[in-house]
Amino acid sequence: MEYRKEHDSMGEVLVPADKYYGAQTQRSADHFKIGTENEKMPREILTAFARMKKAAARANAVLQPKRMTAKKAEAIEMVCGEILEGKLWDHFPLVVFQTGSGTQSNMNVNEVIANRGNELLGETLLHPNDDVNLSQSSNDTFPTAMQIAAVLALEDRLLPAAQRLADCFRRLEEENADVLKIGRTHLQDAVPIRFSQEISGWRASVETGIALIRAALPPLYSIALGGTAVGTGLNAPAGFAEKAAAELAADTGKPFVTAANKFHALTSKSELVFAHGAVKALAADLLKIANDVRLLASGPRAGLGEIFIPENEPGSSIMPGKVNPTQCEALTMVAVQVFGNDAAIAFAASQGNFELNVYMPVIAYNFLQSVSLLSEAIESFRQNCAEGIRPNREKMAENLERSLMLVTALNPVIGYENAAKVAKKAFAENISLREAAISLGLLTGEAFDRAVRPEKMV
C-alpha cells in the first residue's frame, strides 16, 4: 500500500494514499481498534454531518464572505453532495467507540471534505479546521448531527413503516367485522369479542406509538450548532446559529431551529432519551401484538388455532411439515434489542461532566440501531405475516360455543353466585352451560336461549 504524509498539530502521520481523510482520522483509526464493521460510525451520522457542513458553509458565506469565499463554499457543497450520494463511504473508517465527544468523526468529515474539495478545485484552498469547521466545534456539531439523524430516521423510516402496519390492521378490521370469538384475560377464557375489535386494539396501539413519536419530535428540532466549544458561541459570528439552522431546515425540509440554550444543548441528551422512550413504547406494544398473533395461530391442532398466518418457510430440521411464526419471533427479538438500547441510551445520557456529554457516539449508535431495526422488522412483519392473517372461523365458533364465560350474560338474570354455580357445574361435569342451568333449576331452556346470545355481548 502506498502512503502519503499528512500533518496535524501533533506532527506528521502516514495516511493511505488513496484515502481523502487526514492525520487526525488516521490517529483515531490507529488508536481505537474496537469492534467490527458493524460498530463503525453510523452512515446516518455521516450524512447528517454532510448536510450540516453544507448549511454551515452557506451561513458562513453570507456572514463572513472573506473567510468563506464563494469558491470554498461551492467546493464544500459539492463534496457534501458526494457524501449524500454514498460515493465516499470508504473514506470514513472510524468506529463508535472513540472519543465521547465524536471529535474524531467530526474531523474525519472535515478532512474528507477538505481533501476531496481541493482535488475538485485543482488547488489547495480548503483547510479542514479553518474552512470546513469554520464557526463550529465538535462539541456542537456532533450533537447536531445526532438530532438531524434521529429526526430523519424517525420521520422518513419508522413512522411510515408504522403507519403502513396500522393501515393493514384497519383493513383487517373491516374484513372481520362479522367474526365473533372468545376474548381472553389472564390467558383464561373471558366474554365474547368481535375479531375486528381485537384487531382494533392492535391498530390503536400502533397509532398511539406513532402519536408518541410525533410528540417527541419537536424537541429534536432545536439544534446545538452555533454553541461551539462550551455553549458560548466563541469564534462564531453573530447570527450564525440562526442562519445555519435555517439553511439546514431548507435543505432537509424539517423545521430545525437554533436551540434557545446552547449550554443545555451541548451537555444534555434528554431530547434523545425522550424520543427513544417513545420508540421503546412502540416496540413494547409491537411485542405484545406479535405474541398475540403467534398464540392465536398456535397449533395447528394442539394450540389455539384461531387464525391462519402465512407459511413462509419450513420450521424444523427434524419435524416434517412444521411451520413456525417466525415473523413474530423476529419482531419480538428486535423489541428486546430496543429495550436494551434504551437502557444504554439512558445511562449514557446521564453521564458527562460540566459543559459536555462525552457518551454521544454510543447514544447515536444505539438510537439509530433501534430505529433501523424496528423500521425493518415492522415492514417484514407486515409484508410477510400481518397482511395474510385470516380467521379460522370454525375454530373461533367452536371455542365461543364451548366457553364457560358466556355465563356472564346470566348475571342480570339469576345473579353472580348462581351464574358461578352454573359455570362450575358445567365444567365439572363437562356439559354445556344450558344443560347446567336447567339441571340446577335456575332457568328453562327457552329463558337461557333468550339471555345467552353471544352476538349481543360484544
Side-chain angles (χ1 to χ4, degrees):
M1 180 181 291
E2 294 184 0
Y3 294 88
R4 70 177 189 277
K5 287 183 180 180
E6 286 273 352
H7 73 277
D8 57 16
S9 61
M10 297 181 70
E12 291 187 340
V13 177
L14 290 177
V15 176
D18 62 342
K19 302 302 182 188
Y20 290 124
Y21 55 75
Q24 292 199 47
T25 302
Q26 188 62 52
R27 291 185 192 278
S28 180
D30 290 341
H31 295 148
F32 297 96
K33 299 182 186 298
I34 304 172
T36 66
E37 286 291 318
N38 294 327
E39 284 79 44
K40 283 190 175 180
M41 188 60 64
R43 289 184 176 182
E44 296 96 328
I45 292 293
L46 300 173
T47 55
F49 261 110
R51 293 184 183 279
M52 177 175 47
K53 295 296 178 180
K54 179 167 60 173
R58 288 178 176 178
N60 281 317
V62 172
L63 297 172
Q64 39 189 342
K66 290 184 179 180
R67 296 189 65 185
M68 180 57 66
T69 65
K71 192 173 184 180
K72 288 180 179 181
E74 184 180 357
I76 290 172
E77 284 203 43
M78 289 177 65
V79 182
C80 289
E82 291 185 345
I83 294 172
L84 292 170
E85 291 170 8
K87 294 180 178 180
L88 301 176
W89 294 137
D90 290 345
H91 302 275
F92 298 99
L94 301 189
V95 297
V96 168
F97 301 99
Q98 51 164 278
T99 174
S101 63
T103 297
Q104 291 148 12
S105 282
N106 179 43
M107 286 308 304
N108 186 181
V109 174
N110 290 337
E111 289 172 346
V112 169
I113 292 174
N115 287 329
R116 173 58 176 157
N118 289 334
E119 182 179 73
L120 292 172
L121 291 169
E123 59 180 309
T124 303
L125 188 64
L126 292 174
H127 186 279
N129 296 84
D130 296 336
D131 298 306
V132 185
N133 203 59
L134 182 62
S135 307
Q136 306 154 63
S137 163
S138 299
N139 296 352
D140 65 346
T141 59
F142 201 90
T144 299
M146 290 169 70
Q147 292 185 204
I148 296 170
V151 166
L152 294 176
L154 291 172
E155 291 195 354
D156 297 348
R157 294 195 64 191
L158 183 54
L159 288 177
Q163 187 59 58
R164 285 189 288 271
L165 180 60
D167 293 342
C168 168
F169 285 147
R170 187 175 294 279
R171 175 184 62 79
L172 290 172
E173 279 181 70
E174 295 169 357
E175 293 175 359
N176 291 280
D178 64 329
V179 182
L180 291 177
K181 66 184 293 292
I182 198 64
R184 294 181 177 86
T185 58
H186 302 271
L187 296 180
Q188 304 295 306
D189 298 352
V191 294
I193 190 172
R194 294 189 188 279
F195 187 35
S196 59
Q197 293 172 323
E198 188 166 46
I199 297 170
S200 77
W202 301 344
R203 172 190 47 82
S205 293
V206 176
E207 290 176 340
T208 298
I210 291 171
L212 292 174
I213 292 170
R214 291 199 183 283
L217 282 166
L220 292 175
Y221 297 139
S222 296
I223 57 174
L225 190 61
T228 66
V230 294
T232 60
L234 179 66
N235 291 347
F240 172 79
E242 292 77 11
K243 178 63 175 172
E247 292 288 351
L248 186 60
D251 178 62
T252 61
K254 312 298 182 185
F256 289 110
V257 294
T258 188
N261 189 307
K262 303 296 191 300
F263 306 103
H264 164 80
L266 267 62
T267 192
S268 174
K269 297 292 154 274
S270 57
E271 292 87 350
L272 287 161
V273 173
F274 182 63
H276 194 272
V279 174
K280 180 182 68 172
L282 175 60
D285 275 341
L286 290 170
L287 190 150
K288 183 267 181 189
I289 292 167
N291 278 337
D292 282 357
V293 169
R294 63 175 165 180
L295 286 169
L296 288 172
S298 61
R301 292 186 174 177
L304 296 181
E306 289 194 345
I307 64 172
F308 301 110
I309 59 176
E311 298 182 351
N312 297 320
E313 67 277 317
S316 173
S317 61
I318 188 173
M319 292 177 280
K322 195 172 193 296
V323 180
N324 296 328
T326 51
Q327 290 296 320
C328 299
E329 292 165 7
L331 182 55
T332 56
M333 285 191 288
V334 165
V336 168
Q337 183 66 56
V338 171
F339 300 160
N341 288 350
D342 192 72
I345 289 169
F347 190 85
S350 73
Q351 302 304 299
N353 305 101
F354 307 116
E355 277 66 58
L356 186 68
N357 178 286
V358 290
Y359 288 67
M360 289 190 287
V362 78
I363 293 174
Y365 173 75
N366 281 279
F367 189 105
L368 293 169
Q369 184 191 58
S370 288
V371 175
S372 178
L373 287 176
L374 199 58
S375 301
E376 292 172 2
I378 290 171
E379 277 293 279
S380 183
F381 176 76
R382 178 185 64 81
Q383 292 175 1
N384 300 304
C385 182
E387 294 283 4
I389 290 175
R390 294 182 295 111
N392 184 340
R393 292 173 179 259
E394 292 76 15
K395 186 65 174 177
M396 286 182 176
E398 176 189 342
N399 288 341
L400 180 64
E401 180 66 26
R402 296 180 64 245
S403 174
L404 298 175
M405 288 304 101
L406 295 180
V407 77
T408 306
L410 296 180
N411 285 359
V413 180
I414 61 175
Y416 180 95
E417 292 191 11
N418 281 332
K421 290 178 184 178
V422 172
K424 290 179 179 180
K425 182 177 180 65
F427 180 68
E429 299 179 15
N430 195 26
I431 59 177
S432 69
L433 290 172
R434 189 176 190 274
E435 291 170 324
I438 295 170
S439 175
L440 289 169
L442 294 171
L443 287 168
T444 64
E446 293 77 8
F448 182 93
D449 292 340
R450 285 194 302 270
V452 182
R453 299 179 61 188
E455 70 278 7
K456 299 294 185 180
M457 299 175 68
V458 294

